[in-house]
Amino acid sequence: MNKVKLLLTALLIVQLLTSCDHRTGANQEVSSGSEADAAYQEPALSQYNPAIELTFARETDDSLENLISQLPGETFEDNRWNRLYEQVLGIKIKYDWVAKGDLYHQKLSGAFASGDIPDVVRVNAQQLRMLSNAGLIQDLSAAYEQYASSFTKNILSQEGTGPFEAATVDGRLMGIPETSSSIEGAMFIWLRTDWLEQLGLKPPKTMDDVLAISKAFTENDPDNNGIHDTFGLAVTQYLFDPVMGLAGFMAGYEAYPNLWIKDKSGKLLYGGIQPEVKEALKVLQNMYRDGQIDSEFGLKDGLKEEKLIAESHIGMFYGEQWGSFLAQTSRAAQPNAEWQAFPIVSVSGEEPKVPLRFNTSQFLAVRKAYPHPEAIVKLFNLHLEKNWGETAEYETYYSSPFPVWKLSPVTPFPAMKNLEAYRQIAEAERTGDHSVLKDEASSIYKNIQAYRSGMVNKESGWGWERTYGPSGAFAILDQYTEKKQLLYESFVGPPTETMIVKQAILYNQQIETFVNIILGSPIDEFDRFVENWNKLGGGRITAEVNQWYAERGSDLK
């Protein structure tokens, strides 16, 4: 996101939402009046009396169902979060339906088509625009301005106003953004350091070093088993996965294939059609030809490619901070396997820009006729307060140590929370003052200390140490920040009209073309892709994006 990392004041949000009109329903609420709820007397956390009902649709998966199974006495509709929302806010959470995977999306599409949607529905940016155009959801500008707590406003704007731009259609805030973290999309090079030592290699300083390591990992038997069974670089069929993807590799060639970026004149352009991408693809094609990339990568998703790492067939991948836990899978079979994160590097050896995609993709929209649009804002307020606010009960509502935060129908979080946790840990280790560790940092630090002290089940702390330790990924991210290397995406608005129709087609064509080039198609296929991209709607999208930027770009913070 093209946003600053500093907290914006509530004034910026108010300024963004000045064209608000007040909705009905707020006058029915009163505070609970009990001493236990004394901290919740402000309108942002006041209680409905009598209680109101708020319906959702809920997507579930194996991990969520497994979580429920480990929490006796708790279900989707009756759990600690739903009880808290009713006790404090007087909001009864109900689910119109609960479904898994494809069935969930089928039912959601049917609800959109019929217009029979729950009171609150979680949507992506394209669905938000479509529901708004169809008149099925209501403007939340006034509800957010009046009822969002200052704490919520600060948290949701930690990376700027972009999430609200994405949720704004024709000047109206049509959904509350469940902000994600762009800064945590920063890429690192994850390397098997025991393999580096085995082969007498040093960590990379340039892209030539990366290529030399890839070649050595492929050809020089880094696992010392006498078998030619290793590859230099992990890649998945989706190319830009958050781990084992190629965004960090291509950034080494000043290529940003999945970002909208600014050119020297201040216009926005799509990074995926720029000549630097062609250069990076040619390098990858040579690596594939030389056997440095798994010959079947084009057929493998992340889970399948991960097996090659777990089985010690790959010792290098680009990935986000949680890549440590992927790397950790190799230690089950080889306990002496060691990995470390390193900064991404460039061809020139200068510090490269680190690409950060605009990461907020989920929004909570409210059914047009629902009389209490501010209720969804209050849920956000309480969820953030009980996890990170003055009355936080982290081990009850966030990590027990089970990830109980997932029980809530809304799950906003501070975009900077993990970087802040690292900074607290770094300060505690530097000063010896552990009182600086807040709930989340304290929990992480316990895992790290368990690993360092050799306690039972210490292995669970290995990944945490590689991410939050003094030489971990967040230490590098802190350096990226200090050195102003972060390149936030420049387009953060709602999907344009042509994007809604053409974006999926263009993106699939991009992935197909790039994969084919890596597999050996003539490099000039890239030029034909660029020509077709522009003809098939990309040119029109570029014009629409720049029109949005001319109107809104100067206001972005």
Side-chain angles (χ1 to χ4, degrees):
M1 310 171 190
N2 52 340
K3 321 171 208 45
V4 296
K5 73 184 185 72
L6 300 177
L7 300 182
L8 296 181
T9 64
L11 179 60
L12 285 173
I13 300 301
V14 172
Q15 185 177 12
L16 176 66
L17 306 172
T18 48
S19 60
C20 305
D21 64 318
H22 286 17
R23 296 281 172 181
T24 61
N27 292 335
Q28 298 183 28
E29 53 187 341
V30 296
S31 62
S32 65
S34 69
E35 292 183 7
D37 296 331
Y40 308 121
Q41 296 303 303
E42 61 175 309
L45 292 169
S46 57
Q47 186 185 73
Y48 295 95
N49 190 2
I52 64 170
E53 187 175 283
L54 191 62
T55 64
F56 291 78
R58 184 71 187 247
E59 181 179 11
T60 185
D61 55 26
D62 290 343
S63 65
L64 186 56
E65 291 176 356
N66 183 59
L67 171 64
I68 290 287
S69 71
Q70 297 180 79
L71 301 171
E74 300 194 61
T75 66
F76 286 115
E77 287 203 349
D78 183 14
N79 58 65
R80 68 193 68 195
W81 273 108
N82 290 12
R83 295 166 194 161
L84 181 73
Y85 291 139
E86 183 171 359
Q87 175 187 351
V88 175
L89 300 176
I91 298 176
K92 296 180 179 180
I93 304 298
K94 301 291 183 182
Y95 292 108
D96 282 354
W97 44 267
V98 176
K100 181 185 294 187
D102 291 342
L103 179 59
Y104 170 84
H105 294 289
Q106 291 170 12
K107 290 175 73 70
L108 191 63
S109 295
F112 291 165
S114 67
D116 183 17
I117 62 174
D119 297 332
V120 175
V121 59
R122 176 180 276 102
V123 295
N124 61 33
Q126 181 172 322
Q127 292 166 334
L128 186 72
R129 176 176 278 276
M130 293 172 65
L131 290 178
S132 177
N133 291 347
L136 293 176
I137 57 177
Q138 60 182 288
D139 181 4
L140 299 177
S141 302
Y144 186 79
E145 178 183 349
Q146 183 175 352
Y147 286 94
S149 67
S150 58
F151 186 58
T152 292
K153 289 178 177 179
N154 281 337
I155 285 179
L156 297 193
S157 59
Q158 280 191 345
E159 290 190 311
T161 59
F164 290 89
E165 291 289 344
T168 299
V169 180
D170 298 329
R172 300 177 301 159
L173 184 69
M174 301 308 296
I176 306 300
E178 199 164 55
T179 53
S180 189
S181 175
S182 286
I183 197 171
E184 289 192 9
M187 288 288 160
F188 311 93
I189 307 174
W190 289 94
L191 280 166
R192 283 265 318 237
T193 52
D194 58 319
W195 283 13
L196 288 179
E197 294 174 7
Q198 168 73 14
L199 301 178
L201 300 172
K202 301 292 185 183
K205 299 295 185 183
T206 68
M207 286 304 298
D208 282 345
D209 296 335
V210 170
L211 301 184
I213 290 171
S214 176
K215 182 178 177 65
F217 280 5
T218 303
E219 299 177 357
N220 296 352
D221 194 22
D223 55 358
N224 203 29
N225 67 355
I227 303 173
H228 185 65
D229 61 351
T230 54
F231 303 101
L233 180 67
V235 182
T236 76
Q237 63 184 354
Y238 302 115
L239 298 189
F240 305 121
D241 273 344
V243 294
M244 301 181 291
L246 292 173
F249 181 95
M250 288 190 167
Y253 295 90
E254 296 185 58
Y256 311 105
N258 56 353
L259 292 188
W260 285 92
I261 55 178
K262 283 189 289 188
D263 65 14
K264 293 180 180 179
S265 69
K267 297 289 186 180
L268 299 193
L269 49 81
Y270 184 56
I273 61 171
Q274 305 311 310
E276 292 84 1
V277 174
K278 183 177 181 179
E279 179 186 0
L281 286 172
K282 182 62 177 177
V283 174
L284 289 161
Q285 185 183 72
N286 291 336
M287 293 173 69
Y288 179 82
R289 182 196 61 210
D290 293 342
Q292 297 176 31
I293 296 173
D294 173 20
S295 62
E296 298 179 345
F297 86 90
L299 304 174
K300 291 184 176 180
D301 59 16
L303 291 175
K304 292 177 181 177
E305 192 73 8
E306 177 186 336
K307 291 181 180 178
L308 294 178
I309 292 175
E311 296 169 358
S312 291
H313 295 305
I314 295 181
M316 177 167 62
F317 65 90
Y318 281 76
E320 297 177 2
Q321 46 88 12
W322 56 273
S324 59
F325 299 101
L326 172 63
Q328 189 169 357
T329 61
S330 65
R331 291 171 59 84
Q334 294 191 359
N336 293 326
E338 291 295 342
W339 293 77
Q340 186 175 326
F342 294 93
I344 66 171
V345 295
S346 69
V347 170
S348 66
E350 297 179 357
E351 291 166 345
K353 289 295 184 182
V354 181
L356 300 180
R357 291 200 70 189
F358 176 60
N359 243 0
T360 295
S361 60
Q362 299 291 313
F363 308 87
L364 280 299
V366 178
R367 179 173 57 84
K368 183 72 172 181
Y370 186 70
H372 304 286
E374 72 287 339
I376 186 62
V377 181
K378 290 187 173 187
L379 293 185
F380 269 58
N381 292 338
L382 189 54
H383 189 272
L384 292 169
E385 172 62 29
K386 295 307 292 183
N387 286 327
W388 297 282
E390 292 297 324
T391 64
E393 297 178 64
Y394 181 85
E395 293 184 355
T396 299
Y397 292 105
Y398 192 83
S399 176
S400 69
F402 298 114
V404 291
W405 59 270
K406 293 183 179 182
L407 298 173
S408 173
V410 301
T411 56
F413 67 92
M416 310 299 289
K417 74 182 185 70
N418 289 322
L419 180 58
E420 179 58 31
Y422 158 75
R423 289 170 173 165
Q424 291 172 21
I425 291 169
E427 182 179 352
E429 295 214 303
R430 183 177 64 254
T431 65
D433 178 11
H434 290 185
S435 67
V436 301
L437 298 174
K438 295 182 181 178
D439 289 331
E440 191 155 18
S442 178
S443 178
I444 293 168
Y445 194 58
K446 288 177 185 176
N447 290 327
I448 294 174
Q449 290 296 80
Y451 166 71
R452 291 174 176 172
S453 64
M455 294 172 60
V456 176
N457 296 324
K458 69 169 186 173
E459 188 64 17
S460 64
W462 184 92
W464 296 101
E465 202 278 337
R466 291 304 185 272
T467 295
Y468 291 89
S471 300
F474 277 112
I476 298 170
L477 180 56
D478 217 17
Q479 295 171 19
Y480 286 163
T481 303
E482 291 176 5
K483 295 177 180 178
K484 303 186 184 306
Q485 289 180 249
L486 300 177
L487 177 65
Y488 286 92
E489 187 161 19
S490 293
F491 176 68
V492 296
T496 70
E497 293 296 337
T498 308
M499 277 182 178
I500 292 175
V501 179
K502 297 290 188 178
Q503 185 165 254
I505 297 172
L506 294 175
Y507 185 74
N508 289 338
Q509 185 182 81
Q510 177 181 350
I511 295 297
E512 181 180 358
T513 301
F514 289 10
V515 168
N516 286 339
I517 288 174
I518 295 172
L519 293 176
S521 293
I523 192 66
D524 290 342
E525 287 292 326
F526 178 79
D527 301 319
R528 281 186 280 276
F529 157 71
V530 173
E531 182 179 355
N532 288 334
W533 188 89
N534 281 299
K535 287 181 178 178
L536 294 176
R540 180 173 294 180
I541 290 173
T542 300
E544 293 169 348
V545 164
N546 277 285
Q547 180 180 351
W548 170 88
Y549 193 70
E551 295 171 354
R552 299 298 303 160
S554 61
D555 295 333
L556 296 179
K557 301 295 182 180

CSV table of all heavy atoms in Angstrom, one decimal, residues 234-245 294 296-309 314 322 326 515:
chain,number,residue,atom,x,y,z
A,234,ALA,N,13.2,-22.8,-4.8
A,234,ALA,CA,11.8,-23.3,-4.7
A,234,ALA,C,10.9,-22.3,-5.4
A,234,ALA,O,11.0,-21.1,-5.2
A,234,ALA,CB,11.3,-23.5,-3.3
A,235,VAL,N,10.0,-22.9,-6.3
A,235,VAL,CA,9.0,-22.1,-7.0
A,235,VAL,C,7.7,-22.9,-7.1
A,235,VAL,O,7.8,-24.1,-7.4
A,235,VAL,CB,9.5,-21.8,-8.5
A,235,VAL,CG1,8.5,-20.9,-9.2
A,235,VAL,CG2,10.9,-21.1,-8.5
A,236,THR,N,6.6,-22.2,-7.0
A,236,THR,CA,5.3,-22.9,-7.1
A,236,THR,C,4.6,-22.4,-8.4
A,236,THR,O,5.0,-21.5,-9.0
A,236,THR,CB,4.3,-22.6,-6.0
A,236,THR,OG1,3.8,-21.3,-6.1
A,236,THR,CG2,5.0,-22.7,-4.6
A,237,GLN,N,3.6,-23.2,-8.8
A,237,GLN,CA,2.9,-22.9,-10.0
A,237,GLN,C,2.2,-21.5,-10.1
A,237,GLN,O,1.9,-21.0,-11.1
A,237,GLN,CB,1.8,-24.0,-10.3
A,237,GLN,CG,0.7,-24.1,-9.2
A,237,GLN,CD,-0.2,-25.2,-9.5
A,237,GLN,OE1,-0.2,-25.9,-10.5
A,237,GLN,NE2,-1.2,-25.4,-8.5
A,238,TYR,N,2.0,-20.9,-8.9
A,238,TYR,CA,1.3,-19.7,-8.8
A,238,TYR,C,2.3,-18.5,-9.0
A,238,TYR,O,1.8,-17.3,-9.1
A,238,TYR,CB,0.5,-19.6,-7.6
A,238,TYR,CG,-0.6,-20.7,-7.4
A,238,TYR,CD1,-0.5,-21.6,-6.4
A,238,TYR,CD2,-1.6,-20.8,-8.4
A,238,TYR,CE1,-1.4,-22.6,-6.3
A,238,TYR,CE2,-2.5,-21.8,-8.3
A,238,TYR,CZ,-2.4,-22.8,-7.3
A,238,TYR,OH,-3.3,-23.8,-7.2
A,239,LEU,N,3.5,-18.8,-8.9
A,239,LEU,CA,4.6,-17.8,-9.1
A,239,LEU,C,4.8,-16.7,-8.1
A,239,LEU,O,5.9,-16.4,-7.7
A,239,LEU,CB,4.5,-17.1,-10.5
A,239,LEU,CG,4.6,-18.1,-11.7
A,239,LEU,CD1,4.7,-17.2,-13.0
A,239,LEU,CD2,5.7,-19.0,-11.7
A,240,PHE,N,3.7,-16.2,-7.6
A,240,PHE,CA,3.8,-15.1,-6.6
A,240,PHE,C,3.2,-15.4,-5.3
A,240,PHE,O,2.7,-14.6,-4.6
A,240,PHE,CB,3.1,-13.8,-7.2
A,240,PHE,CG,3.7,-13.5,-8.6
A,240,PHE,CD1,2.9,-13.4,-9.7
A,240,PHE,CD2,5.0,-13.2,-8.7
A,240,PHE,CE1,3.4,-13.1,-10.9
A,240,PHE,CE2,5.6,-12.9,-10.0
A,240,PHE,CZ,4.8,-12.9,-11.1
A,241,ASP,N,3.3,-16.7,-4.9
A,241,ASP,CA,2.9,-17.1,-3.5
A,241,ASP,C,3.7,-16.3,-2.5
A,241,ASP,O,4.8,-15.9,-2.7
A,241,ASP,CB,3.1,-18.6,-3.4
A,241,ASP,CG,1.9,-19.4,-3.8
A,241,ASP,OD1,0.8,-18.8,-4.0
A,241,ASP,OD2,2.1,-20.6,-4.0
A,242,PRO,N,3.1,-16.2,-1.3
A,242,PRO,CA,3.9,-15.4,-0.2
A,242,PRO,C,5.1,-16.1,0.3
A,242,PRO,O,6.0,-15.5,0.8
A,242,PRO,CB,2.8,-15.3,0.9
A,242,PRO,CG,1.8,-16.4,0.6
A,242,PRO,CD,1.8,-16.5,-0.8
A,243,VAL,N,5.2,-17.5,0.1
A,243,VAL,CA,6.4,-18.2,0.3
A,243,VAL,C,6.6,-19.1,-0.9
A,243,VAL,O,5.7,-19.6,-1.5
A,243,VAL,CB,6.5,-19.0,1.6
A,243,VAL,CG1,6.4,-18.2,2.8
A,243,VAL,CG2,5.3,-20.1,1.6
A,244,MET,N,7.9,-19.2,-1.3
A,244,MET,CA,8.3,-20.0,-2.5
A,244,MET,C,7.8,-19.3,-3.8
A,244,MET,O,7.6,-19.9,-4.8
A,244,MET,CB,7.8,-21.4,-2.4
A,244,MET,CG,8.4,-22.2,-1.3
A,244,MET,SD,7.8,-23.9,-1.2
A,244,MET,CE,6.1,-23.7,-0.8
A,245,GLY,N,7.5,-18.0,-3.7
A,245,GLY,CA,7.1,-17.2,-4.9
A,245,GLY,C,8.3,-16.5,-5.4
A,245,GLY,O,9.4,-16.5,-4.9
A,294,ASP,N,12.7,-27.2,-9.8
A,294,ASP,CA,12.0,-28.4,-9.9
A,294,ASP,C,11.3,-28.5,-11.3
A,294,ASP,O,10.5,-27.6,-11.6
A,294,ASP,CB,11.0,-28.5,-8.8
A,294,ASP,CG,10.1,-29.7,-8.9
A,294,ASP,OD1,10.4,-30.7,-9.6
A,294,ASP,OD2,9.0,-29.7,-8.3
A,296,GLU,N,8.9,-30.0,-12.3
A,296,GLU,CA,7.4,-30.1,-12.2
A,296,GLU,C,6.8,-29.0,-11.4
A,296,GLU,O,5.6,-29.1,-11.0
A,296,GLU,CB,7.0,-31.5,-11.5
A,296,GLU,CG,7.5,-32.7,-12.2
A,296,GLU,CD,7.1,-34.0,-11.5
A,296,GLU,OE1,6.8,-33.9,-10.3
A,296,GLU,OE2,7.2,-35.1,-12.1
A,297,PHE,N,7.5,-27.9,-11.3
A,297,PHE,CA,7.0,-26.8,-10.5
A,297,PHE,C,5.7,-26.2,-11.0
A,297,PHE,O,4.8,-25.8,-10.3
A,297,PHE,CB,8.0,-25.6,-10.4
A,297,PHE,CG,7.9,-24.6,-11.5
A,297,PHE,CD1,7.1,-23.5,-11.5
A,297,PHE,CD2,8.7,-24.8,-12.7
A,297,PHE,CE1,7.0,-22.6,-12.5
A,297,PHE,CE2,8.6,-24.0,-13.7
A,297,PHE,CZ,7.8,-22.8,-13.7
A,298,GLY,N,5.5,-26.3,-12.4
A,298,GLY,CA,4.3,-25.8,-13.0
A,298,GLY,C,3.0,-26.6,-12.6
A,298,GLY,O,1.9,-26.1,-12.9
A,299,LEU,N,3.2,-27.7,-12.0
A,299,LEU,CA,2.1,-28.6,-11.6
A,299,LEU,C,1.9,-28.6,-10.1
A,299,LEU,O,1.0,-29.3,-9.6
A,299,LEU,CB,2.3,-30.0,-12.1
A,299,LEU,CG,2.5,-30.2,-13.6
A,299,LEU,CD1,2.8,-31.6,-13.9
A,299,LEU,CD2,1.2,-29.7,-14.4
A,300,LYS,N,2.8,-27.9,-9.3
A,300,LYS,CA,2.8,-28.0,-7.9
A,300,LYS,C,2.3,-26.7,-7.2
A,300,LYS,O,2.8,-25.7,-7.4
A,300,LYS,CB,4.2,-28.4,-7.4
A,300,LYS,CG,4.6,-29.8,-7.8
A,300,LYS,CD,6.0,-30.2,-7.3
A,300,LYS,CE,6.3,-31.6,-7.6
A,300,LYS,NZ,7.7,-32.0,-7.0
A,301,ASP,N,1.4,-26.9,-6.3
A,301,ASP,CA,1.0,-25.8,-5.4
A,301,ASP,C,2.0,-25.8,-4.2
A,301,ASP,O,2.9,-26.5,-4.2
A,301,ASP,CB,-0.4,-26.0,-4.9
A,301,ASP,CG,-0.7,-27.3,-4.1
A,301,ASP,OD1,0.3,-27.9,-3.7
A,301,ASP,OD2,-1.9,-27.6,-4.0
A,302,GLY,N,1.7,-24.9,-3.3
A,302,GLY,CA,2.6,-24.7,-2.2
A,302,GLY,C,2.8,-26.0,-1.3
A,302,GLY,O,3.9,-26.3,-0.9
A,303,LEU,N,1.7,-26.7,-1.1
A,303,LEU,CA,1.8,-27.9,-0.3
A,303,LEU,C,2.7,-29.0,-0.9
A,303,LEU,O,3.5,-29.6,-0.2
A,303,LEU,CB,0.5,-28.5,0.0
A,303,LEU,CG,-0.5,-27.7,0.9
A,303,LEU,CD1,-1.8,-28.3,1.0
A,303,LEU,CD2,0.1,-27.6,2.3
A,304,LYS,N,2.6,-29.1,-2.2
A,304,LYS,CA,3.4,-30.1,-2.9
A,304,LYS,C,4.9,-29.7,-3.0
A,304,LYS,O,5.8,-30.5,-2.8
A,304,LYS,CB,2.9,-30.4,-4.3
A,304,LYS,CG,1.5,-31.0,-4.3
A,304,LYS,CD,1.0,-31.2,-5.7
A,304,LYS,CE,-0.4,-31.9,-5.7
A,304,LYS,NZ,-1.0,-32.0,-7.1
A,305,GLU,N,5.1,-28.4,-3.2
A,305,GLU,CA,6.5,-27.9,-3.3
A,305,GLU,C,7.2,-27.9,-1.9
A,305,GLU,O,8.4,-28.1,-1.8
A,305,GLU,CB,6.5,-26.5,-3.9
A,305,GLU,CG,7.9,-26.0,-4.3
A,305,GLU,CD,8.5,-26.7,-5.5
A,305,GLU,OE1,7.8,-27.4,-6.2
A,305,GLU,OE2,9.7,-26.4,-5.8
A,306,GLU,N,6.3,-27.7,-0.9
A,306,GLU,CA,6.9,-27.7,0.5
A,306,GLU,C,7.5,-29.1,0.8
A,306,GLU,O,8.5,-29.1,1.6
A,306,GLU,CB,5.7,-27.4,1.4
A,306,GLU,CG,6.1,-27.5,2.9
A,306,GLU,CD,4.9,-27.3,3.8
A,306,GLU,OE1,3.9,-26.7,3.4
A,306,GLU,OE2,5.0,-27.8,5.0
A,307,LYS,N,7.0,-30.1,0.2
A,307,LYS,CA,7.5,-31.5,0.5
A,307,LYS,C,9.0,-31.6,0.1
A,307,LYS,O,9.8,-32.3,0.8
A,307,LYS,CB,6.7,-32.5,-0.2
A,307,LYS,CG,5.3,-32.7,0.4
A,307,LYS,CD,4.6,-33.8,-0.3
A,307,LYS,CE,3.2,-34.0,0.2
A,307,LYS,NZ,2.4,-35.1,-0.5
A,308,LEU,N,9.4,-30.9,-0.9
A,308,LEU,CA,10.8,-30.9,-1.3
A,308,LEU,C,11.7,-30.2,-0.3
A,308,LEU,O,12.8,-30.6,-0.1
A,308,LEU,CB,10.9,-30.2,-2.7
A,308,LEU,CG,10.3,-30.8,-3.9
A,308,LEU,CD1,10.5,-30.0,-5.1
A,308,LEU,CD2,10.8,-32.3,-4.1
A,309,ILE,N,11.2,-29.2,0.4
A,309,ILE,CA,11.9,-28.6,1.5
A,309,ILE,C,12.0,-29.5,2.7
A,309,ILE,O,13.0,-29.7,3.3
A,309,ILE,CB,11.3,-27.2,1.8
A,309,ILE,CG1,11.5,-26.3,0.7
A,309,ILE,CG2,11.9,-26.7,3.1
A,309,ILE,CD1,10.8,-24.9,0.8
A,314,ILE,N,15.6,-28.9,-1.3
A,314,ILE,CA,15.7,-27.5,-1.6
A,314,ILE,C,16.3,-26.7,-0.4
A,314,ILE,O,15.8,-26.9,0.7
A,314,ILE,CB,14.4,-26.9,-2.1
A,314,ILE,CG1,13.9,-27.5,-3.4
A,314,ILE,CG2,14.5,-25.4,-2.3
A,314,ILE,CD1,12.6,-27.0,-4.0
A,322,TRP,N,7.0,-15.6,7.9
A,322,TRP,CA,6.6,-16.9,8.4
A,322,TRP,C,7.2,-18.0,7.6
A,322,TRP,O,6.9,-19.2,7.9
A,322,TRP,CB,5.0,-17.0,8.5
A,322,TRP,CG,4.3,-16.8,7.2
A,322,TRP,CD1,3.9,-15.6,6.6
A,322,TRP,CD2,4.0,-17.8,6.2
A,322,TRP,NE1,3.3,-15.8,5.4
A,322,TRP,CE2,3.3,-17.1,5.1
A,322,TRP,CE3,4.1,-19.2,6.2
A,322,TRP,CZ2,2.8,-17.8,4.0
A,322,TRP,CZ3,3.6,-19.9,5.1
A,322,TRP,CH2,2.9,-19.2,4.0
A,326,LEU,N,7.9,-22.8,7.5
A,326,LEU,CA,8.0,-23.7,6.3
A,326,LEU,C,9.4,-24.4,6.4
A,326,LEU,O,9.6,-25.6,6.2
A,326,LEU,CB,7.9,-23.0,5.0
A,326,LEU,CG,8.2,-23.7,3.7
A,326,LEU,CD1,7.2,-24.9,3.6
A,326,LEU,CD2,8.1,-22.8,2.6
A,515,VAL,N,4.9,-18.8,-16.8
A,515,VAL,CA,5.2,-20.2,-16.6
A,515,VAL,C,5.8,-20.8,-17.8
A,515,VAL,O,6.8,-21.5,-17.8
A,515,VAL,CB,4.0,-21.0,-16.0
A,515,VAL,CG1,4.3,-22.5,-16.1
A,515,VAL,CG2,3.7,-20.6,-14.6
